[in-house]
């Protein structure tokens, strides 16, 4: 089903079986990547800390399944899932986490700074809120160039309380820029419950202050996320401006790999892990409807396991980051050009 | 004497000052129930409760600006910015508001405000969580900049900072939190603007602060084995600066090495070098050396970030080159 079909049907969700299977596989790939990352952290193979996306896979998968390669995203400290869903190479991602020269950032950036400019990933980010204005600038450039691509801007619930968020969303709304603000509401910013950081009951209500649509979906239901994101990106492509899309979700682990997350009630954690697992629930629904059988599910998991193992092996076998070349890389060195007397570049 | 970690010393200073003065309160991200991401406020929420210890939203501008407003109206806030890197987000409030309010109001307003933060290279937190940005803050008249290296200095200086009637940027170092040292009994204070000679020596003066004091002391003990007696001056506060102690030491040794983790260009070491040249040029037997971070963002992988910042070997090597 194409996006136009979907919209012309008034948004009724006739999702093809293969699409569901694709979405399932994408979520499984993200989780498997994160599980291997966590093992690597525990083995001391990575540096710093990692912010894992386990439990939130449906948002990245649902939002990015229908994106074009030419569309852009900005990501966050919790970025691995976004990168994989946008098409990043797992081998180069692992290589970055392991500090290898073949890593996306040549071992210079690490988990919080992975980018792939060739497929529109304008970077994970270590500064909360910083990606929001950057996404708006990218959307501005797309409009300036007359293109109908869009930008998806990912950020957490706690990020909506930064000044950067407010200034950027206001700009995007006033200029009707093609950007979708995807709020991953996992209920906490580190240890602080969103209830203690913001008086709104639904974060999507923030949209009223910017006169843009605000939509709230179950962020652990990949089909619901996908539907909402298709609508928001379609608006953006048509020049109708930004949408604030709140996806309610939960991170299974602590804020980062060195945090046990003990400030959260056990029952809350159990509820989300056992009853609202985005992957488990989709499998259950598809098994129930007969769209897939257990054997097919097992094949997906086996294939993903092999893919992750291969990617990880690539990273392990790669050379460490090159210390000698480090200073090159602070500034871009423009290739030398020959110019004529009018200052024009010669071929 | 008791032995305590730097982290515990920070907590004890906060606890004592909060007990002593009901106008002292804490605000910042995760400082409450969690006790801070570095656990440097652990236990205070339990003791003082949510009416003295406030978890804020992720809003650095509001943290610093609201702390300023509260200070103007008679409270003594201790605001935490989780990483010194994030002072960038709050820089208008810090540089244009906090630092200047007293002066701009012709002395009417007083700003008894401490901004606690931490910086430096840890174990791979990469470019936006590892910087040493003290030079930004020393470049703003009206702020005091405090950077203790030991638990006892951390406690004494934090208590003094909280009692000071001027705004203070109090910069801890993420690798110092676990370090331990003796702590004097009782209610002691360490004066702001007074350096401390952490090791005496006659051959060369090493001027440094924060975690680089530890690296410099290690270098000094390597050099001691070679018969080189280095004096290690821990500045403890960069602004106000204890120039007398620096100049006295340099006049004695005739050689100065300045060590800081921050990158070299525009670093505070340049200021010290210039002051030594102004005040003690005739006493110098060798050019002043600056051992500093190289001018790159801090990389992620350990072999890379280790190459960027000074360490005891690099410091010792520089000293040998002077003699
Ligand atoms: C400007 C800034 N302030 C504080 C931090 C420290 N920090 C990193 S992640 C985080 C919480 C972010 O919460 P949220 O936006 O909800 O994203 P989540 O981690 O839940 O995915 C904080 C406070 C930071 N990186 N940048
Ligand atoms: Mg969150």
């Amino acid at each position: 089903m194409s996006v136009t079909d979907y919209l012309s049907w008034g948004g009724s969700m006739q999702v093809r079986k293969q699409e569901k299977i694709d979405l399932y596989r994408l979520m499984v790939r993200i989780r498997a990547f994160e599980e291997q990352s966590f093992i690597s952290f525990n083995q001391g193979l990575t540096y710093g800390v990692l912010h894992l996306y386990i439990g939130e896979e449906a948002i990245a998968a649902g939002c990015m399944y229908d994106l074009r390669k030419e569309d852009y995203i900005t990501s966050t400290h919790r970025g691995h899932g976004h990168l994989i869903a946008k098409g990043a190479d797992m081998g180069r991602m692992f290589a970055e986490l392991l500090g290898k020269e073949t890593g996306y950032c040549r071992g210079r950036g690490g988990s919080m700074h992975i980018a792939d400019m060739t497929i529109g990933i304008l970077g994970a980010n270590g500064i909360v809120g910083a990606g929001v204005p950057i996404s708006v600038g990218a959307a501005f450039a797309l409009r300036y160039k007359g293109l109908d691509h869009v930008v998806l801007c990912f950020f957490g619930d706690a990020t909506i309380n930064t000044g950067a968020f407010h200034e950027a969303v206001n700009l995007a709304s006033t200029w009707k820029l093609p950007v979708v603000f995807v709020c991953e509401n996992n209920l906490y910013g580190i240890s602080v419950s969103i209830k203690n950081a913001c008086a709104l009951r639904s974060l999507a209500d923030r949209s009223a202050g910017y006169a843009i649509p605000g939509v709230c979906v179950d962020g652990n239901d990949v089909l619901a996320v996908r539907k909402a994101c298709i609508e928001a990106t379609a608006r953006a492509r048509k020049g109708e401006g930004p949408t604030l899309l709140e996806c309610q979700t939960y991170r299974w682990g602590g804020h980062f790999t060195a945090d046990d997350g003990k400030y959260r009630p056990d029952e809350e954690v159990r509820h989300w892990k056992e009853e609202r697992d985005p992957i488990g629930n989709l499998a259950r629904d598809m098994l129930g409807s007969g769209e897939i059988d257990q054997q097919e599910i097992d094949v997906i998991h086996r294939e993903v396991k092999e893919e992750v193992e291969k990617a990880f092996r690539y990273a392990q076998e790669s050379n460490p980051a090159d210390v000698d070349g480090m200073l090159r890389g602070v500034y871009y060195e423009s290739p030398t050009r020959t110019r004529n007397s009018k200052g024009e570049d010669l071929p | 004497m008791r032995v305590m970690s730097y982290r515990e010393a920070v907590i004890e200073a906060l606890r004592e000052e909060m007990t002593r003065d009901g106008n002292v309160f804490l605000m910042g991200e995760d400082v409450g129930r969690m006790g801070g991401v570095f656990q440097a406020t652990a236990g205070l929420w339990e003791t003082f409760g949510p009416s003295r210890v406030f978890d804020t939203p992720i809003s650095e501008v509001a943290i610093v600006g609201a702390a300023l407003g509260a200070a103007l109206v008679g409270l003594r806030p201790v605001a935490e910015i989780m990483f010194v890197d994030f002072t960038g987000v709050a820089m208008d409030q810090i540089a244009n508001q906090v630092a200047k309010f007293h002066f701009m109001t012709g002395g009417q307003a007083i700003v008894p405000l401490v901004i606690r933060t931490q910086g430096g290279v840890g174990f791979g937190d990469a470019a936006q969580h590892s910087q040493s940005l003290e030079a930004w803050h020393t470049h703003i008249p009206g702020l005091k900049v405090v950077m203790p290296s030991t638990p006892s200095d951390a406690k004494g200086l934090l208590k003094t900072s909280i009692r000071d009637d001027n705004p203070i940027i109090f910069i801890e170092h993420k690798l110092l939190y676990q370090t331990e040292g003796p702590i004097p009994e009782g209610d002691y204070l360490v004066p702001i603007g007074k350096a401390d000679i952490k090791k005496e020596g006659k051959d060369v003066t090493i001027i440094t602060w924060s975690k680089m004091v530890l690296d410099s002391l290690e270098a000094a003990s390597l050099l001691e084995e070679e018969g080189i007696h280095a004096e290690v001056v821990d500045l403890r506060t960069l602004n106000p600066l204890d120039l007398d102690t620096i100049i006295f030491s340099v006049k004695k040794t005739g050689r100065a090495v300045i060590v800081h983790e921050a990158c070299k260009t525009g670093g505070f070491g340049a200021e010290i070098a210039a002051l030594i040249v102004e005040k003690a040029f005739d006493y110098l037997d060798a050019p002043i050396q600056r051992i500093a971070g190289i001018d790159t963002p801090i990389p992620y992988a350990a072999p890379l970030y280790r190459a960027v910042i000074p360490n005891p070997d690099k410091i010792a090597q520089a000293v040998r080159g002077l003699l």
Side-chain angles (χ1 to χ4, degrees):
Chain A
M1 178 180 61
S2 76
V3 172
T4 0
D5 287 345
Y6 166 78
L7 290 168
S8 63
W9 295 350
S12 71
M13 205 69 195
Q14 291 291 327
V15 187
R16 282 194 329 226
K17 176 183 146 189
Q18 188 55 45
E19 292 175 330
K20 287 192 193 173
I21 293 178
D22 289 349
L23 287 163
Y24 183 80
R25 179 187 294 271
L26 183 48
M27 292 194 290
V28 172
R29 290 176 65 228
I30 293 170
R31 184 165 299 179
F33 180 92
E34 293 296 60
E35 285 167 351
Q36 179 57 52
S37 300
F38 192 37
I39 292 171
S40 310
F41 169 84
N42 286 324
Q43 292 174 335
L45 298 176
T46 63
Y47 306 100
V49 291
L50 306 174
H51 304 79
L52 300 178
Y53 198 62
I54 295 178
E56 308 189 17
E57 297 89 346
I59 303 171
C63 282
M64 264 163 311
Y65 185 69
D66 301 278
L67 279 197
R68 306 172 182 163
K69 186 178 171 206
E70 296 81 5
D71 293 328
Y72 287 90
I73 67 164
T74 60
S75 175
T76 66
H77 55 285
R78 199 175 304 290
H80 301 167
H82 308 143
L83 311 176
I84 292 169
K86 187 68 173 72
D89 178 82
M90 285 194 192
R92 293 185 62 199
M93 285 176 66
F94 277 134
E96 189 58 29
L97 301 190
L98 268 51
K100 299 302 182 83
E101 191 64 24
T102 54
Y104 263 114
C105 315
R106 305 178 57 217
R108 282 133 183 79
S111 165
M112 276 192 290
H113 304 292
I114 297 180
D116 186 343
M117 304 305 276
T118 67
I119 54 171
I121 299 172
L122 299 176
N125 210 308
I127 302 295
V128 168
V132 188
I134 296 172
S135 74
V136 171
F140 171 83
L142 292 174
R143 234 256 309 271
Y144 192 92
K145 292 178 177 180
L147 301 168
D148 75 339
H149 309 316
V150 298
V151 185
L152 293 197
C153 171
F154 292 92
F155 53 90
D157 46 287
T159 306
I160 71 163
N161 300 319
T162 63
F165 173 88
H166 168 68
E167 296 186 19
V169 178
N170 179 61
L171 186 65
S173 129
T174 305
W175 290 359
K176 280 198 167 349
L177 296 175
V179 52
V180 181
F181 298 108
V182 183
C183 177
E184 303 183 308
N185 181 3
N186 62 11
L187 310 181
Y188 291 84
I190 310 189
S191 71
V192 178
S193 159
I194 187 65
K195 285 194 227 125
N196 298 331
C198 175
L200 287 175
R201 290 254 305 290
S202 164
L203 303 186
D205 289 350
R206 266 289 159 87
S207 60
Y210 307 101
I212 60 173
V215 180
C216 181
V217 296
D218 176 354
N220 284 13
D221 177 345
V222 70
L223 302 178
V225 172
R226 181 184 173 214
K227 174 172 181 289
C229 196
I230 287 174
E231 286 165 2
T233 49
R235 275 192 84 239
R237 286 193 212 285
K238 279 191 283 181
E240 292 170 11
T243 300
L244 175 59
L245 174 56
E246 174 192 353
C247 302
Q248 296 188 334
T249 187
Y250 203 71
R251 59 169 151 80
W252 283 15
H255 170 69
F256 45 49
T257 42
D259 169 31
D260 60 14
K262 276 293 171 235
Y263 40 80
R264 305 184 305 179
D266 291 344
E267 171 50 27
E268 181 182 283
V269 180
R270 191 208 58 80
H271 166 74
W272 285 89
K273 284 172 88 161
E274 289 175 16
E275 285 160 42
R276 300 192 61 181
D277 173 10
I279 296 178
N281 286 2
L282 182 60
R284 186 198 58 207
D285 292 349
M286 290 177 74
L287 284 166
S289 65
E291 286 165 294
I292 199 165
D293 60 31
Q294 189 58 46
Q295 222 179 342
E296 290 169 278
I297 288 185
D298 293 344
V299 171
I300 292 174
H301 284 265
R302 194 172 59 239
E303 286 171 358
V304 168
K305 184 164 179 274
E306 280 162 16
E307 181 193 1
V308 167
E309 280 168 5
K310 184 162 166 247
F312 189 68
R313 214 173 316 123
Y314 167 80
Q316 279 194 303
E317 287 164 5
S318 293
N319 290 329
D322 169 23
V323 178
D324 294 335
M326 191 162 52
L327 273 176
R328 281 181 280 121
V330 180
Y331 296 96
Y332 178 61
E333 282 157 34
S334 309
T336 26
R337 297 200 188 100
T338 321
R339 296 212 166 118
N340 66 17
S341 57
K342 291 185 204 148
E344 295 158 345
D345 287 342
L346 294 175
Chain B
M1 283 241 185
R2 299 165 301 152
V3 170
M4 205 180 259
S5 72
Y6 190 98
R7 185 179 72 74
E8 290 162 338
V10 168
I11 296 170
E12 193 167 273
L14 293 169
R15 184 185 296 283
E16 287 178 8
E17 292 309 300
M18 289 177 78
T19 305
R20 183 177 165 274
D21 182 349
N23 285 331
V24 177
F25 72 97
L26 306 187
M27 65 191 289
E29 294 160 15
D30 303 281
V31 298
R33 198 182 291 263
M34 189 193 203
V37 290
F38 293 93
Q39 293 291 294
T41 55
L44 298 174
W45 190 83
E46 285 77 356
T47 306
F48 297 100
S51 60
R52 300 284 300 281
V53 183
F54 298 89
D55 276 330
T56 64
I58 307 180
S59 305
E60 283 79 9
V61 179
I63 293 170
V64 177
L68 168 59
L72 293 174
V73 182
L75 300 183
R76 305 188 80 86
V78 181
E80 178 176 312
I81 297 293
M82 194 186 287
F83 284 71
V84 74
D85 313 67
F86 313 158
T87 61
V89 177
M91 212 56 183
D92 170 63
Q93 287 294 334
I94 296 171
N96 294 329
Q97 313 300 332
V98 167
K100 299 180 174 43
F101 231 91
H102 177 70
F103 181 85
M104 291 189 305
T105 58
Q108 297 176 68
I110 61 160
V111 183
L113 162 57
V114 179
I115 300 173
R116 275 188 55 243
T117 184
Q118 62 75 38
V121 171
F123 296 109
D125 305 309
Q128 297 170 341
H129 290 73
S130 305
Q131 296 172 88
S132 297
L133 297 176
E134 59 270 24
W136 285 9
H137 298 281
T138 58
H139 198 60
I140 306 164
L143 293 179
K144 296 185 180 180
V145 181
V146 179
M147 296 185 74
S149 70
T150 65
S152 86
D153 285 347
K155 181 178 172 192
L157 279 164
L158 184 50
K159 285 167 66 78
T160 310
S161 298
I162 293 170
R163 297 186 198 183
D164 197 290
D165 282 329
N166 286 287
I168 287 166
I169 309 278
F170 192 94
I171 310 177
E172 297 152 21
H173 192 295
K174 55 177 75 60
L175 292 188
L176 288 178
Y177 285 123
Q178 302 301 331
T179 59
E180 296 192 329
I183 298 270
E185 299 292 341
D187 181 30
Y188 73 96
L189 297 172
V190 172
I192 291 174
K194 192 83 200 78
D196 183 41
I197 296 180
K198 287 283 188 300
K199 177 186 170 299
E200 289 189 7
K202 61 174 178 46
D203 296 331
V204 54
T205 302
I206 300 177
I207 300 147
T208 186
W209 56 91
S210 191
K211 173 169 180 288
M212 282 298 137
V213 172
L214 274 57
D215 291 57
S216 299
L217 286 169
E218 232 179 290
S221 74
L222 292 173
L223 293 163
E224 204 65 36
E225 287 164 23
E226 300 163 26
I228 301 169
H229 308 293
E231 180 145 300
V232 178
V233 178
D234 176 0
L235 293 180
R236 302 197 292 193
T237 63
L238 301 188
N239 188 9
L241 180 68
D242 184 358
L243 190 57
D244 289 348
T245 299
I246 297 172
I247 298 303
F248 189 84
S249 176
V250 171
K251 284 183 176 171
K252 177 174 83 175
T253 64
R255 292 178 178 82
V257 175
I258 302 154
V259 182
H260 60 68
E261 188 175 317
C263 64
K264 190 171 190 177
T265 300
F268 195 68
E271 181 64 28
I272 298 169
L275 287 167
I276 294 171
V277 170
E278 284 172 14
K279 307 277 182 204
F281 182 75
D282 291 338
Y283 293 83
L284 288 173
D285 298 325
I288 300 168
Q289 293 290 311
R290 283 178 294 155
I291 312 302
I294 64 173
D295 290 335
T296 85
I298 303 296
Y300 162 74
L304 302 182
Y305 68 71
R306 286 197 193 110
V308 169
I309 55 172
N311 60 30
D313 284 332
K314 291 184 199 174
I315 299 166
Q317 197 55 38
V319 170
R320 288 183 200 109
L322 279 187
L323 292 155

